mmCIF file of all heavy atoms in Angstrom:
data_model
loop_
_atom_site.group_PDB
_atom_site.id
_atom_site.type_symbol
_atom_site.label_atom_id
_atom_site.label_comp_id
_atom_site.label_asym_id
_atom_site.label_seq_id
_atom_site.Cartn_x
_atom_site.Cartn_y
_atom_site.Cartn_z
ATOM 1 N N LEU A 11 -21.006 -19.503 -11.489
ATOM 2 C CA LEU A 11 -20.975 -19.149 -12.905
ATOM 3 C C LEU A 11 -19.559 -18.772 -13.325
ATOM 4 O O LEU A 11 -19.071 -19.214 -14.373
ATOM 5 C CB LEU A 11 -21.929 -17.984 -13.179
ATOM 6 C CG LEU A 11 -21.909 -17.432 -14.610
ATOM 7 C CD1 LEU A 11 -22.276 -18.511 -15.621
ATOM 8 C CD2 LEU A 11 -22.842 -16.234 -14.734
ATOM 9 N N ALA A 28 -26.275 -20.713 -22.308
ATOM 10 C CA ALA A 28 -26.891 -20.204 -23.545
ATOM 11 C C ALA A 28 -28.063 -19.268 -23.258
ATOM 12 O O ALA A 28 -28.188 -18.206 -23.856
ATOM 13 C CB ALA A 28 -27.324 -21.359 -24.426
ATOM 14 N N LEU A 35 -29.016 -14.826 -10.996
ATOM 15 C CA LEU A 35 -27.865 -14.958 -10.100
ATOM 16 C C LEU A 35 -28.155 -14.353 -8.732
ATOM 17 O O LEU A 35 -28.805 -13.322 -8.622
ATOM 18 C CB LEU A 35 -26.656 -14.253 -10.707
ATOM 19 C CG LEU A 35 -26.214 -14.713 -12.099
ATOM 20 C CD1 LEU A 35 -25.121 -13.794 -12.629
ATOM 21 C CD2 LEU A 35 -25.737 -16.151 -12.068
ATOM 22 N N LEU A 38 -25.765 -11.269 -5.119
ATOM 23 C CA LEU A 38 -24.920 -10.391 -5.931
ATOM 24 C C LEU A 38 -24.360 -9.263 -5.073
ATOM 25 O O LEU A 38 -25.036 -8.748 -4.185
ATOM 26 C CB LEU A 38 -25.724 -9.808 -7.085
ATOM 27 C CG LEU A 38 -26.119 -10.789 -8.193
ATOM 28 C CD1 LEU A 38 -27.188 -10.185 -9.081
ATOM 29 C CD2 LEU A 38 -24.896 -11.185 -9.027
ATOM 30 N N ARG A 41 -20.960 -4.706 -8.607
ATOM 31 C CA ARG A 41 -21.348 -4.697 -10.024
ATOM 32 C C ARG A 41 -21.248 -6.096 -10.648
ATOM 33 O O ARG A 41 -21.053 -6.227 -11.857
ATOM 34 C CB ARG A 41 -20.464 -3.710 -10.782
ATOM 35 C CG ARG A 41 -20.619 -2.261 -10.320
ATOM 36 C CD ARG A 41 -19.576 -1.361 -10.963
ATOM 37 N NE ARG A 41 -19.654 -1.393 -12.419
ATOM 38 C CZ ARG A 41 -18.725 -0.913 -13.234
ATOM 39 N NH1 ARG A 41 -17.618 -0.391 -12.725
ATOM 40 N NH2 ARG A 41 -18.862 -0.974 -14.545
ATOM 41 N N LEU A 106 -16.251 -31.305 -0.193
ATOM 42 C CA LEU A 106 -16.026 -31.118 -1.624
ATOM 43 C C LEU A 106 -14.858 -31.983 -2.051
ATOM 44 O O LEU A 106 -13.737 -31.813 -1.573
ATOM 45 C CB LEU A 106 -15.735 -29.646 -1.940
ATOM 46 C CG LEU A 106 -15.472 -29.294 -3.403
ATOM 47 C CD1 LEU A 106 -16.709 -29.527 -4.248
ATOM 48 C CD2 LEU A 106 -15.007 -27.846 -3.527
ATOM 49 N N ALA A 110 -9.895 -34.597 -9.541
ATOM 50 C CA ALA A 110 -8.645 -35.346 -9.399
ATOM 51 C C ALA A 110 -7.625 -34.965 -10.452
ATOM 52 O O ALA A 110 -6.436 -35.237 -10.298
ATOM 53 C CB ALA A 110 -8.933 -36.847 -9.465
ATOM 54 N N GLY A 132 -15.963 -19.414 2.432
ATOM 55 C CA GLY A 132 -15.565 -19.301 1.047
ATOM 56 C C GLY A 132 -14.917 -17.975 0.730
ATOM 57 O O GLY A 132 -13.861 -17.916 0.080
ATOM 58 N N ARG A 154 -6.259 -6.012 -22.067
ATOM 59 C CA ARG A 154 -7.622 -5.692 -22.512
ATOM 60 C C ARG A 154 -8.402 -6.963 -22.851
ATOM 61 O O ARG A 154 -9.132 -7.041 -23.848
ATOM 62 C CB ARG A 154 -7.577 -4.751 -23.733
ATOM 63 C CG ARG A 154 -6.907 -3.421 -23.450
ATOM 64 C CD ARG A 154 -6.975 -2.491 -24.643
ATOM 65 N NE ARG A 154 -6.284 -1.238 -24.394
ATOM 66 C CZ ARG A 154 -6.823 -0.190 -23.766
ATOM 67 N NH1 ARG A 154 -8.065 -0.267 -23.318
ATOM 68 N NH2 ARG A 154 -6.111 0.917 -23.585
ATOM 69 N N ALA A 163 -15.646 -9.454 -11.386
ATOM 70 C CA ALA A 163 -16.848 -9.955 -10.709
ATOM 71 C C ALA A 163 -16.484 -10.726 -9.446
ATOM 72 O O ALA A 163 -17.182 -10.638 -8.434
ATOM 73 C CB ALA A 163 -17.656 -10.844 -11.654
ATOM 74 N N GLY A 167 -17.053 -9.388 -4.895
ATOM 75 C CA GLY A 167 -17.611 -10.077 -3.738
ATOM 76 C C GLY A 167 -16.672 -10.167 -2.556
ATOM 77 O O GLY A 167 -17.012 -10.783 -1.541
ATOM 78 N N GLU A 201 -0.076 -36.479 -2.145
ATOM 79 C CA GLU A 201 -1.514 -36.575 -1.908
ATOM 80 C C GLU A 201 -2.314 -35.443 -2.528
ATOM 81 O O GLU A 201 -3.548 -35.514 -2.592
ATOM 82 C CB GLU A 201 -1.816 -36.652 -0.389
ATOM 83 C CG GLU A 201 -1.296 -35.474 0.405
ATOM 84 C CD GLU A 201 0.070 -35.736 0.999
ATOM 85 O OE1 GLU A 201 0.860 -36.488 0.382
ATOM 86 O OE2 GLU A 201 0.351 -35.191 2.085
ATOM 87 N N ILE A 205 -3.987 -36.834 -10.602
ATOM 88 C CA ILE A 205 -3.736 -38.174 -11.125
ATOM 89 C C ILE A 205 -3.517 -38.112 -12.620
ATOM 90 O O ILE A 205 -4.318 -37.522 -13.321
ATOM 91 C CB ILE A 205 -4.927 -39.103 -10.803
ATOM 92 C CG1 ILE A 205 -5.091 -39.209 -9.284
ATOM 93 C CG2 ILE A 205 -4.743 -40.480 -11.442
ATOM 94 C CD1 ILE A 205 -6.324 -39.964 -8.866
#
Side-chain angles (χ1 to χ4, degrees):
L11 175 60
L35 303 173
L38 290 166
R41 297 172 58 193
L106 180 65
R154 299 184 182 276
E201 58 266 31
I205 299 173

